[in-house]
Amino acid sequence: QIKESATLTRDVLEQHFSDLKGTLKKLLDERLMSLLQEVDVIEQESIKPLDECQKLIEHGVSTADDLLREGESAVDGDVGTQNEKLCNFTKKALHIQLDSLPEVPSLVDVPCLSAQLDDCLLTVLKNQIFRHGTVASRPPVQLEEFVEKPGGILVRWCKVDDDFTAQDYRLQYRKSTAGHFEDVYVGSETEFIVLHIDPNVDYQFRVCARGDGRQEWSPWSVPQIGRTTLVPHEWTTGLEGYSLSSRRNIALRNDSQSCGVLYSKAPTYFCGQTLTFRQTVGQPDRRDSLGVCVEQRNGFDSLQRDKAVCISTNGAVFVNGKEMTNQLPAVTSGSTVTFDMEVVQLGPCSNEGGTFKLRVTISSNNREVVFDWVLDQCCGSLYFGCSFSYPGWKVLVF
């Protein structure tokens, strides 16, 4: 592990600084080109009026030179043509203003380009570069526990550096050791149920943290393998009145007038596990139900019946069809309802009734009720189910 992580760390450092050098060179080249373009623009804008002034001066000198040669020719000619040439020369000389020149700017008004380069940039960069990056021998957070869930894994992690104050955690996973890690949770909790996990398949997990007030994430924890052997919970397909998601773990009460209990595909809930329902609410009815039962029974419109325990959407708790005195808060949108069961008595059957007793805990909105559920038969696994009178209810089970 030490050699492998050291090799990986070297590769990460070399790749990062190689990318950094390439980026810095690109930025410096872009800045150089920008400054050179500024020089070109100033040069072109400043030299244009001077070029025009020079052209005017050169044109005046050329005109004066031509006039001078014409005057010399008039003086040197014979008497007959001399008067005519002198007359033409005089007229032309009167029209040409030889003493008029364009205004030439003074030397102090003419731009003189220079480059100002602050050497303190190197000092700033040097200080930043020498503080850039750290090498940690141990990540501040590590994976702690994997708990099997039906079609999922409950992942727990903990902080192992007492001096590190965590603001957020980031959990990633990937199937087996192939492919890329994907974010599955970012938040302040130290546990998360990862759903849509295929049974009996290895998944690799890792977690990191972000310090309080920091933007960068800490080094990743040591990757660990987690798996579940429990098949996912699924609703039964084909019942009119309910539409299911592609994975059949979400049921939606549709607009159909048909009513009845939607059961699980199989008895996949076992004692010792936690069964969780998370719902979006619709219009409540006192016959609504969420719960577990020994067997599927058609012809009922609710789990408020024999061999079943359930909670109504108004918070009433029913055991074998009888309403309990204790009541939970009404079901709200986004809240969770959980069922936990454990065997507390198991004995031979007698004429006086069942001796199979389950200790049931139902929790909802930070409240819970605990009671014993007596059955006349041993049940290693149970069905779960739901019923709603009105459309709009949506239930995720895990």
Side-chain angles (χ1 to χ4, degrees):
Q1 177 176 312
I2 295 175
K3 290 185 176 180
E4 182 180 352
S5 62
T7 300
L8 179 60
T9 301
R10 290 190 191 96
D11 292 341
V12 169
L13 288 172
E14 289 174 356
Q15 183 63 48
H16 174 77
F17 277 86
S18 175
D19 294 342
L20 198 60
K21 284 190 285 187
T23 303
L24 284 174
K25 184 179 183 306
K26 181 180 178 182
L27 292 174
L28 289 172
D29 289 343
E30 289 178 355
R31 182 56 181 163
L32 174 60
M33 291 302 298
S34 175
L35 292 172
L36 290 176
Q37 288 175 358
E38 285 188 41
V39 173
D40 293 340
V41 170
I42 295 174
E43 181 185 26
Q44 292 172 5
E45 291 180 350
S46 301
I47 208 167
K48 183 178 179 181
L50 295 178
D51 285 341
E52 293 176 350
C53 182
Q54 182 177 354
K55 290 178 181 179
L56 289 174
I57 294 174
E58 291 176 349
H59 177 69
V61 172
S62 176
T63 302
D65 189 48
D66 292 342
L67 186 62
L68 178 61
R69 284 195 294 272
E70 188 174 336
E72 291 175 348
S73 174
V75 172
D76 294 339
D78 55 39
V79 178
T81 61
Q82 192 175 34
N83 290 334
E84 184 180 355
K85 288 183 178 180
L86 284 173
C87 182
N88 291 334
F89 170 77
T90 302
K91 289 180 180 180
K92 186 177 292 186
L94 290 174
H95 286 87
I96 298 176
Q97 298 178 350
L98 296 177
D99 59 345
S100 176
L101 290 174
E103 182 180 358
V104 180
S106 62
L107 193 60
V108 295
D109 294 330
V110 177
C112 181
L113 279 71
S114 63
Q116 285 77 49
L117 301 173
D118 194 347
D119 291 338
C120 74
L121 176 63
L122 295 176
T123 304
V124 173
L125 285 176
K126 181 179 179 182
N127 293 334
Q128 291 292 331
I129 289 172
F130 284 162
R131 289 199 301 266
H132 181 67
T134 58
V135 176
S137 60
R138 296 180 185 274
V141 59
Q142 291 285 8
L143 294 167
E144 183 180 31
E145 184 182 17
F146 297 101
V147 180
E148 291 186 57
K149 296 289 182 179
I153 300 174
L154 172 61
V155 184
R156 292 193 175 103
W157 54 89
C158 62
K159 193 161 63 73
V160 295
D161 185 351
D162 294 335
D163 297 329
F164 184 85
T165 302
Q167 174 180 300
D168 291 308
Y169 297 98
R170 181 182 180 188
L171 178 67
Q172 289 189 336
Y173 83 126
R174 65 181 179 184
K175 197 170 185 177
S176 186
T177 56
H180 298 288
F181 279 99
E182 298 178 22
D183 284 344
V184 69
Y185 172 77
V186 176
S188 59
E189 300 295 328
T190 55
E191 65 177 38
F192 183 75
I193 297 179
V194 183
L195 299 176
H196 311 321
I197 295 293
D198 295 330
N200 302 307
V201 174
D202 287 342
Y203 287 82
Q204 197 171 41
F205 294 86
R206 67 181 185 181
V207 67
C208 66
R210 180 161 51 196
D212 191 19
R214 306 294 293 270
Q215 293 296 322
E216 71 278 5
W217 291 98
S218 73
W220 290 105
S221 65
V222 177
Q224 294 189 37
I225 299 295
R227 63 158 44 201
T228 182
T229 59
L230 306 175
V231 296
H233 291 318
E234 294 183 12
W235 298 104
T236 298
T237 59
L239 180 64
E240 187 179 357
Y242 292 90
S243 305
L244 306 184
S245 64
S246 59
R247 289 182 175 267
R248 297 178 294 280
N249 61 338
I250 299 176
L252 172 65
R253 180 69 168 93
N254 56 36
D255 295 332
S256 172
Q257 297 300 315
S258 175
C259 61
V261 178
L262 177 65
Y263 293 101
S264 58
K265 180 181 178 181
T268 53
Y269 175 62
F270 297 88
C271 292
Q273 298 178 359
T274 297
L275 178 69
T276 304
F277 298 99
R278 182 176 295 149
Q279 55 281 317
T280 300
V281 301
Q283 181 181 341
D285 185 88
R286 65 181 186 86
R287 294 293 296 167
D288 293 342
S289 60
L290 279 170
V292 296
C293 56
V294 175
E295 58 192 5
Q296 296 181 346
R297 285 188 187 177
N298 297 323
F300 289 86
D301 62 354
S302 175
L303 285 175
Q304 299 172 20
R305 60 167 177 80
D306 186 38
K307 294 186 179 181
V309 294
C310 67
I311 176 176
S312 177
T313 53
N314 62 9
V317 178
F318 292 84
V319 182
N320 290 332
K322 296 180 179 180
E323 184 175 353
M324 293 184 61
T325 304
N326 294 336
Q327 185 167 335
L328 291 168
V331 174
T332 57
S333 190
S335 66
T336 58
V337 176
T338 61
F339 287 75
D340 291 275
M341 300 187 186
E342 59 177 336
V343 179
V344 294
Q345 181 180 335
L346 180 61
C349 294
S350 66
N351 294 330
E352 298 177 357
T355 58
F356 187 71
K357 186 186 293 184
L358 296 176
R359 179 71 46 80
V360 181
T361 302
I362 305 178
S363 302
S364 177
N365 287 322
N366 298 319
R367 293 268 303 278
E368 67 178 30
V369 294
V370 182
F371 56 90
D372 289 339
W373 182 23
V374 180
L375 297 168
D376 59 3
Q377 63 188 95
C378 298
C379 296
S381 58
L382 297 165
Y383 291 89
F384 57 85
C386 69
S387 65
F388 301 102
S389 300
Y390 298 102
W393 289 90
K394 184 166 66 174
V395 181
L396 165 68
V397 60
F398 59 92

